[in-house]
Each structure stands twice: as structure tokens, then as C-alpha cells.
Amino acid sequence: MQTFLIVIATLIIAFILLDVYTRIKMKNTPKVADNESIITLTDKNFKQQTKGKLVLVDFWAEWCAPCRMMAPVLNDLASELPDGSLVGKINVDQQQPLAQQFKVRNIPTLVLFKDGKEINRFVGVKTKDFLLKNMK
């Protein structure tokens, strides 16, 4: 019985240490500048920028570590998209009405719009290949 308790306590401590390490690593994820072809969307330009195009919109926040992890993926994606397709970003802290309008509850949330209408939604960190496949 004592050995069992020691093994359980050791596993619990190991999981706690792994959790702390992961949180520190995610918190220290560096900020990456946006690709020049990524557009910043606001409530003023949203309709105009999404009309007649296929636009992947990233709902993000400055303080969100998974959002920072998505930045390089979105930069790569933006550089490979054909004409008529764009990547846009909406900072949910600055554009709360848009986040509420599209019922964004978790970030990062990626919403795919075609001609201004939502056609798909992805929550969490995704790969470039996954996003490219879903944009076709």
C-alpha cells in the first residue's frame, strides 16, 4: 500500500512539474510580426474586406500564447494564398463587438468567410496544411 501511494504521489508531482514547464514555455513564446499581406480587420472595414473574397479571420489577443503560436502559421499561409483569398486578424480586446457578433468564446478562433458569410470555424492551434486544405 505504501509503495502504491509513493508511486501515485510521484506521478502527481511529475504532472504538476510538466504543467508548470508547459505554461512557462507557452508564456515565453515570442511575438512575431504579421506578414504584410495580413489585414487588420475592424468593425469599420470588416464588410468591405470580406465582400467577394475568401477570408480566413483570426480572432486573437495579445496576451494569448496559443494565438502567438498561430502567428508564424498564418504568416506562411498568407504568403501562399492565391488572389481573392486573404488572411485577416481581429484583436478581440480591441474589437469586442465583432467578437460578440460572431460568438467567439475561445481564442484563437479562425473563421472562414466566403463573400462575407461564415462557412467554417476552427478553434485552437491549427497547421498550415490543415488550413490550406479547408480553404479549398
Side-chain angles (χ1 to χ4, degrees), residues 85-96:
S85 297
L86 297 171
V87 174
K89 294 184 95 171
I90 295 175
N91 185 324
V92 296
D93 290 333
Q94 297 171 356
Q95 300 296 323
Q96 290 179 1

Side-chain angles (χ1 to χ4, degrees), residues 76-89:
D76 288 346
L77 179 68
S79 65
E80 291 185 20
L81 290 177
D83 289 340
S85 297
L86 297 171
V87 174
K89 294 184 95 171

Side-chain angles (χ1 to χ4, degrees), residues 9 13-14 16 34 50 70 97 100 113 124:
I13 291 170
I16 290 171
D34 288 339
T50 59
M70 280 302 301
Q100 290 172 350
F113 291 91

Side-chain angles (χ1 to χ4, degrees), residues 1-17:
M1 184 69 171
Q2 238 178 355
T3 306
F4 177 74
L5 292 176
I6 292 171
V7 168
I8 294 297
T10 304
L11 286 173
I12 290 171
I13 291 170
F15 281 121
I16 290 171
L17 291 174

Side-chain angles (χ1 to χ4, degrees), residues 1-132:
M1 184 69 171
Q2 238 178 355
T3 306
F4 177 74
L5 292 176
I6 292 171
V7 168
I8 294 297
T10 304
L11 286 173
I12 290 171
I13 291 170
F15 281 121
I16 290 171
L17 291 174
L18 180 63
D19 183 58
V20 168
Y21 170 76
T22 304
R23 288 177 191 264
I24 290 170
K25 188 174 178 182
M26 286 185 75
K27 192 178 240 184
N28 293 330
T29 303
K31 295 177 184 172
V32 177
D34 288 339
N35 183 308
E36 58 196 30
S37 59
I38 293 178
I39 56 174
T40 300
L41 297 170
T42 65
D43 56 348
K44 292 180 173 71
N45 71 357
F46 183 82
K47 285 183 182 178
Q48 176 193 12
Q49 292 293 338
T50 59
K51 187 176 181 180
K53 301 172 193 151
L54 183 66
V55 183
L56 181 67
V57 178
D58 175 28
F59 289 86
W60 69 286
E62 189 86 25
W63 48 264
C64 170
C67 299
R68 286 190 298 226
M69 292 170 63
M70 280 302 301
V73 174
L74 295 172
N75 285 341
D76 288 346
L77 179 68
S79 65
E80 291 185 20
L81 290 177
D83 289 340
S85 297
L86 297 171
V87 174
K89 294 184 95 171
I90 295 175
N91 185 324
V92 296
D93 290 333
Q94 297 171 356
Q95 300 296 323
Q96 290 179 1
L98 276 175
Q100 290 172 350
Q101 177 184 345
F102 293 106
K103 297 177 178 59
V104 173
R105 303 283 183 245
N106 301 306
I107 53 174
T109 293
L110 302 159
V111 181
L112 188 58
F113 291 91
K114 185 173 186 176
D115 297 323
K117 294 186 176 27
E118 181 178 338
I119 60 170
N120 213 339
R121 179 179 291 237
F122 318 105
V123 178
V125 177
K126 304 297 178 202
T127 65
K128 181 180 78 171
D129 292 335
F130 173 86
L131 295 171
L132 278 171

